[in-house]
Amino acid sequence: MTDQAPERFLRISDVVARTALSRSHIYALVGRDQFPAPRKLGAKCSRWIESEVDAWISKAS
């Protein structure tokens, strides 16, 4: 048994709320490899991994 909580996936609105960056700025940073890229979960579904976004926030602070 593991003590870790399962990894959570974040919607773009969650990422915007956590980072205080706009959608377009987040996607621009992703395009320049300066922000974690979203994972494709389906044809019309992309999500960010919470721990990667949190690590980016910690590094940026």
Side-chain angles (χ1 to χ4, degrees):
M1 188 174 201
T2 179
D3 291 338
Q4 284 186 324
E7 194 65 65
R8 288 187 50 211
F9 293 106
L10 302 175
R11 295 171 180 249
I12 184 64
S13 59
D14 300 322
V15 178
V16 167
R18 283 176 182 242
T19 62
L21 300 173
S22 69
R23 280 176 65 111
S24 59
H25 191 66
I26 290 167
Y27 282 111
L29 291 174
V30 168
R32 295 191 306 254
D33 293 325
Q34 296 176 343
F35 193 84
R39 301 301 199 282
K40 292 291 283 180
L41 301 182
K44 295 183 177 183
C45 181
S46 294
R47 299 290 186 265
W48 279 259
I49 296 177
E50 181 179 41
S51 62
E52 292 178 359
V53 173
D54 289 344
W56 182 89
I57 292 169
S58 294
K59 184 178 170 183
S61 296

